[in-house]
């Protein structure tokens, strides 16, 4: 296993956190024992020891050794010292029998020894379990004329032995199970990340059709969903790019082939004057097609490179629209289209050559996708905040599906049909780009077979209102 992998790091960190928390919890409970429980424990055991001493004092006939033997059988350890300093132990032995002579004497003299309370503080050892004589309660004891010192401590091992095992098992099982669950849990958490990493690598190698099987509602799930979405978009772009290249290649190839063909025909000396003129016209036409396509490509790439750079000025919009219509007269007449317009005399603030492109594209489309004898209506209106320009035609219209896509780069509805109509699918994306550069919006309303209306909304800004006064 790679030690630097996220899985290893995550598992080790979680396990380390568990151990550190365990250690801190132990230290805190020890501190709590030292501060709170130790005095209580001392007090409780002092009461028990004094009760034992009282009982013996009140029953002078009782045999002390028998009685202490009896008590040790129910869970206590004792040391009994008489005035001659004879020591007798009852019950389980102490692990450490050290006790100063001074202490022994003071208890014999009648003082109570609070060994449990005075037992030294140590951070990592809970004094409660320390089976030492020092950790006991010493009480004076009198039976008749005899004085004794009685040291007592509960036999923890006897009282809590089973509990000890129980706790040890609980602790051991908790640690083992936690480690197992951490390892499984972390795998569950990390697994999708490995999948994502693999998918990213595949994506960078150009495989866009990635389906991630990550179905989660958390952040990783969201990330996976965004990733899949991104891969789909990239795939779409890639498909569009490939289609565009094939379109452009086709659109470049066919006029070039035509030009080449007609140029070699022109070389023939037997050509009539009319034939020559026809061929030259065709060559001219094809050259225009090529020039239009390269202009569009250049415009798109320059718009993208100089994103946001618009050379704005205030100028008469209606004049510009009339100029556009005038420049298309020949095409309009060729298709016998009737053009009507209602152009309110407004000034717009914008880049004239870029906006010219917008009107030019919209009018060209309205002619291209119109029927012979069709109609085109162009309108300009203005309200307090916007200038509205609309191009309505009675042409082929758009399907609902096409309406969604016409602003996508390189999109052309019904490839087979539009092959016969010139175009690259770039016009409307250029239009949308320019309108957005002018902080405007473009909408389309259309019905298949009935015609379309393209509406453009451009903001009237302060500079504009000044010039229109
Ligand atoms: P093109 O160079 O193919 O005209 P555009 O980006 O200008 O490219 O238009 C994209 C597609 O939208 C066209 O191929 C055509 O199918 C459709 N379209 C654009 N304008 C109209 C219109 N006025 N009426 C019908 N369809 C249109």
């Amino acid at each position: 296993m790679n030690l630097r992998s996220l899985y290893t790091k995550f598992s080790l960190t979680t396990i380390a956190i568990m151990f550190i928390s365990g250690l801190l919890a132990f230290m805190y409970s020890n501190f709590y024992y030292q501060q709170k429980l130790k005095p209580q424990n001392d007090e409780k055991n002092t009461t028990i020891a004094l009760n034992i001493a009282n009982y013996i004092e009140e029953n002078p006939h009782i045999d002390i050794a028998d009685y202490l033997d009896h008590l040790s059988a129910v869970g206590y350890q004792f040391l009994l010292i008489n005035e001659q300093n004879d020591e007798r132990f009852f019950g389980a032995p102490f692990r450490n029998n050290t006790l100063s002579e001074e202490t022994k004497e003071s208890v014999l003299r009648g003082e109570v020894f609070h060994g449990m309370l005075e037992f030294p503080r140590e951070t990592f050892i809970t004094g409660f379990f320390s089976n030492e004589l020092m950790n006991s309660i010493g009480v004076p004891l009198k039976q008749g004329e005899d004085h004794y010192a009685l040291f007592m401590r509960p036999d923890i091992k006897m009282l809590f032995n089973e509990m000890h095992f129980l706790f040890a098992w609980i602790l051991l099982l908790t640690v083992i199970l936690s480690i197992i669950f951490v390892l499984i849990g972390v795998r569950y958490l990390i697994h999708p990340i490995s999948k994502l990493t693999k998918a990213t690598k595949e994506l960078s190698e150009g495989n866009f059709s990635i389906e991630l099987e990550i179905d989660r509602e958390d952040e990783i799930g969201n990330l996976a969903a965004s990733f899949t979405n991104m891969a789909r978009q990239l795939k779409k772009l890639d498909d569009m790019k490939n289609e565009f290249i094939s379109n452009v290649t086709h659109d470049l190839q066919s006029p070039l082939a035509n030009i080449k063909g007609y140029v070699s025909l022109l070389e023939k000396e037997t050509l009539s004057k009319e034939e020559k003129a026809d061929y030259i016209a065709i060559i001219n036409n094809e050259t225009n097609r090529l020039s239009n396509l390269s202009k569009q490509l250049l415009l798109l790439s320059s718009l993208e490179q100089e994103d946001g750079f618009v050379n704005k000025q205030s100028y008469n919009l209606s004049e510009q629209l009339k100029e556009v219509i005038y420049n298309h007269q020949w095409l309009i007449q060729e298709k016998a289209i009737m053009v009507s317009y209602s152009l309110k005399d407004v000034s717009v603030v914008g880049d004239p050559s870029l906006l010219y492109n917008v009107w030019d594209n919209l009018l060209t489309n309205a002619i291209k996708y119109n029927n012979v004898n069709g109609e085109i209506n162009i309108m300009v209106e203005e309200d307090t905040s916007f200038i509205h320009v609309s191009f309505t035609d009675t042409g082929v219209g758009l399907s609902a599906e096409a309406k969604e896509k016409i602003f996508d780069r390189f999109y052309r509805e019904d490839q087979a049909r539009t092959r016969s109509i010139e175009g690259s699918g770039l016009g409307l994306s250029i239009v949308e780009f320019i309108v957005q550069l002018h902080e405007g919006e473009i909408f389309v309303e259309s019905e298949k077979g009935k015609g379309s209306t393209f509406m453009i909304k451009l903001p009237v800004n302060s500079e504009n209102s000044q010039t229109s006064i």
Side-chain angles (χ1 to χ4, degrees), residues 69 74 185 203 244 264 266 272 302 374 389:
D69 256 340
V74 295
L203 194 70
F244 170 67
S264 49
L266 277 178
S272 70
S302 75
V389 185

Side-chain angles (χ1 to χ4, degrees), residues 23-185:
L23 195 70
L24 289 176
F26 179 76
M27 279 165 71
Y28 177 73
S29 31
N30 193 33
F31 174 75
Y32 185 69
Y33 171 78
Q34 302 285 0
Q35 294 297 320
K36 271 259 163 145
L37 298 183
K38 201 159 88 165
Q40 281 176 19
N41 193 33
D42 181 277
E43 201 183 311
K44 191 175 83 185
N45 282 294
T46 308
T47 315
I48 295 172
L50 287 173
N51 272 338
I52 295 173
N54 260 347
Y55 184 76
I56 295 173
E57 274 179 44
E58 282 165 13
N59 295 281
H61 307 299
I62 199 170
D63 182 277
I64 300 183
D66 271 358
Y67 184 53
L68 292 182
D69 256 340
H70 190 73
L71 284 179
S72 61
V74 295
Y76 288 95
Q77 297 163 269
F78 297 100
L79 166 62
L80 185 69
I81 304 176
N82 63 15
E83 284 163 304
Q84 287 75 44
N85 252 336
D86 294 330
E87 297 185 345
R88 273 190 74 185
F89 288 94
F90 299 87
F94 292 95
R95 194 171 53 79
N96 186 340
N97 284 342
T98 322
L99 195 65
S100 70
E101 289 306 316
E102 243 173 87
T103 311
K104 292 175 189 170
E105 271 164 30
S106 75
V107 177
L108 270 173
R109 274 202 309 275
E111 281 172 34
V112 175
F113 167 61
H114 291 281
M116 289 187 176
L117 190 66
E118 287 154 22
F119 198 70
R121 291 160 179 235
E122 286 181 54
T123 325
F124 292 105
I125 298 158
T126 304
F128 181 74
F129 296 104
S130 224
N131 180 18
E132 294 182 30
L133 194 50
M134 288 266 283
N135 195 14
S136 67
I137 299 291
V139 287
L141 177 63
K142 228 171 92 190
Q143 198 184 37
E145 291 306 309
D146 298 330
H147 287 260
Y148 299 93
L150 178 66
F151 294 89
M152 181 215 86
R153 100 166 240 103
D155 185 348
I156 301 288
K157 198 159 179 230
M158 181 174 177
L159 292 175
F160 297 113
N161 206 21
E162 295 76 14
M163 289 299 256
H164 251 137
F165 276 112
L166 193 69
F167 281 127
W169 271 111
I170 290 178
L171 190 71
L172 193 72
L173 281 177
T174 310
V175 169
I176 293 175
L177 288 177
S178 311
I179 292 178
I180 293 175
F181 287 137
V182 162
L183 293 180
I184 297 174

Side-chain angles (χ1 to χ4, degrees), residues 210-266:
I210 301 165
E211 282 306 324
L212 279 170
E213 279 154 26
I214 301 176
D215 187 18
R216 286 161 59 147
E217 304 243 312
D218 54 8
E219 285 81 353
I220 293 182
N222 287 344
L223 180 65
S226 313
F227 184 87
T228 318
N229 198 17
M230 182 185 79
R232 279 198 201 116
Q233 296 291 337
L234 283 174
K235 183 168 164 33
K236 206 169 128 195
L237 271 179
D238 192 58
D239 290 348
M240 273 158 63
K241 186 191 79 193
N242 290 338
E243 200 188 319
F244 170 67
I245 292 173
S246 82
N247 275 351
V248 170
T249 319
H250 175 273
D251 290 354
L252 288 175
Q253 273 301 321
S254 67
L256 280 176
N258 276 346
I259 293 171
K260 203 171 161 228
Y262 284 103
V263 167
S264 49
L265 280 180
L266 277 178

Side-chain angles (χ1 to χ4, degrees), residues 296 361-362 365-366 368-369 393 396-398 406 411-414 417-418 422-429 452 454:
Q296 272 188 323
N361 266 305
L362 292 177
N365 282 349
K368 266 202 302 193
Y369 303 106
D393 66 63
V396 294
L398 288 158
I406 45 170
Y411 175 82
R412 300 177 74 191
E413 198 197 7
D414 187 1
R417 177 179 61 78
T418 44
E422 271 177 46
S424 59
L426 289 175
L428 286 180
S429 35
S452 324
F454 285 82

Side-chain angles (χ1 to χ4, degrees), residues 318-329:
S318 333
E319 293 285 312
Q320 188 179 41
L321 283 166
K322 280 179 200 151
E323 188 190 329
V324 176
I325 299 168
Y326 180 79
N327 289 344
H328 286 77
Q329 268 316 313

